[in-house]
Amino acid sequence: MIKTKKIKEPLFHISKRSDIEPWKAWCIRIGSGLLALLVGAILTGALTGHFFGFFEQLIKGSFGSVTRFEKLIKNTVILLGIALALAPAFKMKFWNIGAEGQVLIGALVTAGLMFNIKDSIPQPALIIIMFACSVMAGAIWALIPAIFKAFFNTNETLFTLMMNYIAIKLTAYFINIWATNGSGTMGIIPYGQLPKLFGSQYLINILVVIVLTVIVYMYLKYSKHGYELSVVGESLNTAKYVGINVKKVIIRTMIFSGVICGIVGFLLVSGDSYTITQNLVNGRGFTAILVAWLSQFNPLAMVLTSFLVCFLEQTGSQLVMAYNMGADAYSSILTGIFFLFIIGSTFFINYKVVINKKHKNIKVEESADESKDESLSTLEESSKEEVVLDGPKTEVAE
């Protein structure tokens, strides 16, 4: 005798993509970014009643004047520089959370030289010394956790994070020493400032970061060192098997990252703020982690991602001023929405949702004899169990 069971076929199922063309992946990312802007507009409309005003301030906040556009480019350049520093370490799967401190320590050394040497030597010589010392400071600050990871296998995430706090407190200590007026803050340091090019205050910063972008791209894609750190990131066992010195790669890569952080610290002080504060980096060391990760450690893609993040942050600040929202954190909210949608888009890049066109019940035929045999086998197994009586244990005979 044959019995029939009905099993309902699911409406859809999820399957992993074997591969996806690059242009399709970018279309998904761009679509996610546009959707994030729409959500931002809806949220702004709900809070202020200005749905279309969101798009107006979106343009006005970054392109409404030459000053605003310069500010956008300035912030993009600094964020991009920090993301470039993190890319080699993260590609090696060394979770360097210490870019904030590595940049700040480079900035501290630069400010210290500007404040103490002043005009005792020619300004071009001072700038060269500042650049060299800032690079060394950033490299040393990154080298310390690298050595402990390479030789003692310490947790690099916690180690680099703690190094941030040390850098912040060192900065506060030296500011208190240098700020003799007791205010705890330093004013503009008039010595050691990078010169203007073609009337632009930030053009040198832009040119330096463009050069760094090309160098990091070539380093990761075409150099032997870039290949070795990729192998280490993929598999430590494979790297050791093919004869790669893993400890050397870890130390070398972190020095490279620290050098770039030192350069960014130098640019922040000598080419941007002309002073030093505890909050000079302003959390960009952590934002750069997301920029590098979302760009899949591609320096060219980081250019666009950094620009979009700074664009949204500036838009949020403009919305706060335009509609008296009274929440300076609104720019962070918009940035968070953007990151949420972009990160979510990676699901649709790696997986696809397949709709079952014939959504119906499936009939499964089952033999009654097979059901009977299953019942008998279950009964036989249960009959082998031990039965506990008042006396000794006995077994039921089969």
Side-chain angles (χ1 to χ4, degrees):
M1 183 179 177
I2 305 248
K3 290 197 304 182
T4 303
K5 290 196 304 184
K6 289 185 177 180
I7 300 176
K8 193 171 184 179
E9 187 179 2
L11 179 62
F12 64 90
H13 67 274
I14 298 171
S15 62
K16 188 172 178 62
R17 295 182 189 270
S18 56
D19 56 351
I20 184 172
E21 296 179 15
W23 69 270
K24 289 184 179 179
W26 277 106
C27 285
I28 292 174
R29 292 189 183 99
I30 292 171
S32 299
L34 294 175
L35 189 59
L37 291 179
L38 179 60
V39 172
I42 294 171
L43 180 61
T44 303
L47 295 175
T48 66
H50 296 83
F51 174 82
F52 293 103
F54 172 84
F55 298 100
E56 178 185 351
Q57 301 302 327
L58 191 72
I59 304 301
K60 188 177 179 181
S62 298
F63 306 103
S65 66
V66 175
T67 303
R68 289 173 181 171
F69 181 70
E70 285 184 346
K71 182 181 177 182
L72 173 63
I73 297 302
K74 176 193 74 171
N75 292 333
T76 300
V77 163
I78 296 301
L79 181 60
L80 174 60
I82 302 174
L84 291 172
L86 291 173
F90 271 73
K91 194 167 185 180
M92 186 181 60
K93 293 187 179 176
F94 184 104
W95 311 120
N96 180 17
I97 314 297
E100 190 94 358
Q102 292 156 24
V103 172
L104 187 59
I105 207 70
L108 176 63
V109 170
T110 299
L113 291 170
M114 291 170 67
F115 181 78
N116 291 291
I117 295 180
K118 299 180 180 179
D119 57 351
S120 59
I121 62 174
Q123 290 299 295
L126 175 58
I127 291 174
I128 293 173
I129 293 172
M130 287 159 43
F131 179 83
C133 292
S134 180
V135 166
M136 289 178 60
I140 292 171
W141 212 251
L143 176 63
I144 295 171
I147 290 175
F148 276 84
K149 175 65 177 180
F151 291 96
F152 306 106
N153 197 29
T154 56
N155 187 311
E156 70 273 15
T157 304
L158 294 177
F159 204 120
T160 53
L161 185 63
M162 292 301 104
M163 295 287 285
N164 290 339
Y165 294 104
I166 296 173
I168 292 171
K169 296 305 177 183
L170 277 175
T171 303
Y173 172 77
F174 283 104
I175 288 175
N176 287 330
I177 293 176
W178 297 332
T180 55
N181 56 6
S183 64
T185 59
M186 296 183 65
I188 300 299
I189 306 173
Y191 308 101
Q193 298 180 3
L194 291 177
K196 294 182 179 180
L197 287 182
F198 304 105
S200 175
Q201 179 182 353
Y202 308 114
L203 186 55
I204 291 181
N205 288 17
I206 294 170
L207 294 176
V208 170
V209 174
I210 288 174
V211 172
L212 286 177
T213 303
V214 175
I215 290 174
V216 174
Y217 178 78
M218 299 294 290
Y219 180 83
L220 293 177
K221 192 170 181 65
Y222 297 108
S223 71
K224 178 185 176 184
H225 291 179
Y227 168 75
E228 288 180 345
L229 69 87
S230 297
V231 175
V232 172
E234 289 294 329
S235 172
L236 283 175
N237 292 330
T238 302
K240 292 175 182 177
Y241 179 78
V242 298
I244 295 175
N245 189 332
V246 175
K247 294 179 180 178
K248 183 179 178 181
V249 172
I250 291 173
I251 292 173
R252 181 180 64 208
T253 303
M254 280 301 292
I255 289 175
F256 183 65
S257 293
V259 164
I260 299 176
C261 284
I263 294 173
V264 175
F266 165 78
L267 295 176
L268 260 176
V269 175
S270 184
D272 186 349
S273 64
Y274 308 133
T275 187
I276 183 72
T277 65
Q278 295 182 61
N279 300 319
L280 181 65
V281 187
N282 196 26
R284 283 174 284 197
F286 299 104
T287 306
I289 294 173
L290 290 171
V291 171
W293 192 272
L294 291 178
S295 304
Q296 297 182 334
F297 317 121
N298 183 342
L300 302 182
M302 289 179 202
V303 177
L304 176 60
T305 309
S306 300
F307 179 83
L308 289 175
V309 170
C310 294
F311 176 70
L312 288 173
E313 288 179 348
Q314 203 157 311
T315 297
S317 300
Q318 177 66 23
L319 287 168
V320 170
M321 291 189 296
Y323 301 126
N324 297 318
M325 299 179 69
D328 293 335
Y330 194 66
S331 59
S332 299
I333 294 173
L334 290 179
T335 307
I337 292 172
F338 171 76
F339 279 130
L340 177 64
F341 276 79
I342 297 298
I343 291 172
S345 70
T346 58
F347 171 83
F348 296 98
I349 294 173
N350 297 322
Y351 298 91
K352 59 182 177 179
V353 178
V354 180
I355 305 296
N356 296 324
K357 295 181 179 179
K358 296 181 179 180
H359 178 56
K360 59 183 182 179
N361 294 334
I362 302 174
K363 293 183 179 181
V364 179
E365 294 183 348
E366 185 182 52
S367 166
D369 294 335
E370 290 178 358
S371 302
K372 185 178 179 181
D373 291 342
E374 289 179 3
S375 301
L376 288 173
S377 62
T378 304
L379 181 62
E380 288 176 356
E381 288 181 2
S382 63
S383 66
K384 294 180 181 179
E385 295 179 354
E386 294 183 353
V387 180
V388 180
L389 304 175
D390 292 337
K393 295 180 180 180
T394 61
E395 283 191 7
V396 177
E398 295 185 1

